[in-house]
Amino acid sequence: MAELADGPRPQECPGSSSAQAGRAAACQGCPNQGICAAGAAAPDPAEAAALRARLRAVRHAVLVLSGKGGVGKSTFSALLALGLAADQAKQVALLDIDICGPSIPRMMGLDGEQVHQSGSGWSPVYVEENLGVMSVGFLLSSPDDAVIWRGPKKNGLIKQFLRDVDWGEVDYLIIDTPPGTSDEHLSIVQYLGAAHVAGAVIVTTPQEVSLQDVRKEINFCHKVKLPIIGVVENMSGFICPKCKNESQIFPPTTGGAEKMCQNLNVSLLGKVPLDPQIGKSCDKGQSFLSEAPDSPATSSYRNIIQRIQEYCDQRNFQEEKIIYERNKNVVHV
Amino acid sequence: MEEVARERSNLAGVRHILLVLSGKGGVGKSTISTELALSLRHSGKKVGILDVDLCGPSIPRMFRVQDNSVHQCDSGWVPVFVDQDKSISLMSIGFLLENPDDAVVWRGPKKNALIKQFVADVAWGDLDFLIVDTPPGTSDEHISTVEALRPYQLLGAILVTTPQAVSVGDVRRELTFCKKMNLRVLGIVENMSGFVCPHCSECTNIFSKGGGEELAKHAGVPFLGCVPLDPQLSQSLEEGRDFIQEFPKSSAFPALAHIAQQILDGTSQQSS
């Protein structure tokens, strides 16, 4: 793929992979018009085929998104993967595409692990037999190493994570993302075009400063036609361990995720209270779900995980029904 | 050549520029930027904030000026003033969006172009401090901002973290970024450090404790202080109120005032 020149892109850019690339009215005057018109920026067919072949083995891809940082995307991704992998019969993959701030290795207790090369690509790092993990963190040699990369390099690595990692047959691929609506997000959605994408889980905290970014993320999902499974409200209230009274540390001054979900017509999957044990477990790389099985936060996480599972099953059922109906028609004709 | 460009530039009247950085999101970069601006104003300084978080701008809301828009003048874009005295001025992509919920779905090159424009075309006038609030990470926005600001009075960077290891790990990487970019680290702030229950006064370390201080020691950079979790602070930011003016008795106030004082001391030492 040709490298695009650094410079502003036209407002109504049709996208470098579109048939209109370099030919639309908006392309006039764009520094990349020549490259796009020649088709050099479009995905290489052989590469696209390799990506498709690898992603065919994924039954449900779930993206964990948020416009805001530090709301608990990685914590939720890690617990979702662990929760789904509790069923031994399911194969789960957890992919961390936060290239500049990978948190997944530590949260999964895999700090310092390295990726191994095998005949069929990079091998993920396995936490359990049925739970494989991949992150840029496994490619760094020291905890001080910074990944100071602009967009194109990040996109290249994300593509490699999807194409070159030997995930095997996977029931659930959970993808943890960085905050925002930029390179990583556009690329993952584009590359996952060939996969069975169940949809996105959006994580937020209750205060408006966070919700205003999350509304942008929801608009992003609509723009790129990514189904939204639902919203998780994290850090929702704190119960003092001493006096058992509740405080709103991040006050829902505009009605929190509940009101936002009503207004935007998306489902609220649940609210998870702040529990100091969550951060501690993440730091130690232990599963909060098994460390604190009786915490209200655990039961809330478990409910949410179950709802996501049901969403995926339902979707599966509908897809099978469509295939069945199609076959039935074929027989009748 | 560079000298001439600097003389004529919109940043010619800005005495000190400081960056607020963190590898991790949601640790309080915008909160620290906002409170630092308010504290510096309290000491009689003129302050500007440039918000280069293009996908998730928080600064307009924190000053409750999110409905304002940017106007043009002969020397460029006029920043948004938060008060009659024009003691704090802001520039953010939030002022350029038609609808506040519009997603800015841009790849790197477009973000870089806007950052260059923000640095070149905003008519800040005379400022004592320009605080640059950044998104999390070490990518396009950060490289472009540091490169664009390099010819000017770049004082250095304040790094914000929360105490837990997951966050400190990302800030360690940000320190490497500063080193590689030759950016002076003014110090580390540990935010969300302990929560005092308003009912029983018991302090709980929700996101653990001490990680920021330890990192500062480990990296040999100044530690600027711990800011506790304070619902009055989050409430003020939600409502766009002046926390420094209204809550001098709250638990976060002394910590924030102390950080601002250290920045002021640093600059007066530098000029003397």
Side-chain angles (χ1 to χ4, degrees), chain A residues 144 149 154 182 208 219 253 283, chain B residues 101 106 111 139 165 176 238:
Chain A
D144 288 313
W149 288 359
K154 295 193 284 190
S182 191
E208 176 59 25
N219 273 332
T253 54
D283 276 1
Chain B
D101 294 342
W106 289 359
K111 295 194 286 192
S139 190
T176 306
E238 284 278 285

Side-chain angles (χ1 to χ4, degrees), chain A residues 179-333:
Chain A
T181 51
S182 191
D183 280 289
E184 295 89 335
H185 313 85
L186 280 167
S187 295
I188 192 79
V189 171
Q190 184 190 337
Y191 301 147
L192 283 177
H196 305 278
V197 181
V201 175
I202 295 179
V203 185
T204 186
T205 47
Q207 78 277 37
E208 176 59 25
V209 168
S210 172
L211 294 172
Q212 64 174 1
D213 291 348
V214 170
R215 279 194 289 265
K216 289 179 199 286
E217 198 75 34
I218 290 174
N219 273 332
F220 167 82
C221 292
H222 294 328
K223 253 188 188 169
V224 298
K225 303 196 172 61
L226 181 64
I228 297 171
I229 301 175
V231 174
V232 175
E233 183 177 276
N234 206 9
M235 308 192 195
S236 175
F238 169 70
I239 305 202
C240 174
K242 194 172 168 206
C243 69
K244 308 291 172 206
N245 276 310
E246 189 175 359
S247 302
Q248 297 299 332
I249 295 187
F250 302 108
T253 54
T254 54
E258 201 161 344
K259 182 100 176 286
M260 178 189 76
C261 286
Q262 276 169 12
N263 291 344
L264 299 178
N265 199 21
V266 291
S267 12
L268 179 64
L269 295 172
K271 296 182 185 184
V272 184
L274 267 171
D275 181 331
Q277 183 65 37
I278 299 174
K280 267 185 218 143
S281 299
C282 286
D283 276 1
K284 287 195 227 149
Q286 293 162 335
S287 164
F288 170 73
L289 301 179
S290 41
E291 289 291 301
D294 304 323
S295 159
T298 299
S299 64
S300 176
Y301 274 128
R302 287 205 186 279
N303 273 331
I304 295 167
I305 294 168
Q306 197 185 342
R307 284 189 65 180
I308 294 169
Q309 217 166 354
E310 282 165 8
Y311 178 97
C312 291
D313 290 345
Q314 186 68 28
R315 193 183 133 262
N316 218 18
F317 174 73
Q318 275 171 353
E319 250 171 35
E320 272 165 18
K321 209 165 97 186
I322 292 167
I323 295 168
Y324 173 75
E325 297 278 334
R326 220 184 273 149
N327 290 344
K328 202 168 67 183
N329 287 343
V330 172
V331 172
H332 281 295
V333 171

Side-chain angles (χ1 to χ4, degrees), chain B residues 30-87:
Chain B
S30 301
T31 300
I32 296 296
S33 300
T34 299
E35 299 310 324
L36 185 57
L38 290 168
S39 305
L40 291 170
R41 169 172 77 175
H42 204 68
S43 314
K45 302 292 178 191
K46 273 194 84 154
V47 191
I49 302 183
L50 174 59
D51 180 5
V52 299
D53 189 345
L54 305 183
C55 294
S58 306
I59 293 290
R61 169 95 204 174
M62 289 183 173
F63 284 95
R64 221 191 177 103
V65 286
Q66 66 271 28
D67 298 328
N68 286 45
S69 52
V70 164
H71 300 282
Q72 288 278 345
C73 71
D74 289 345
S75 43
W77 282 336
V78 184
V80 170
F81 294 100
V82 304
D83 53 8
Q84 291 287 316
D85 307 338
K86 301 192 171 181
S87 55

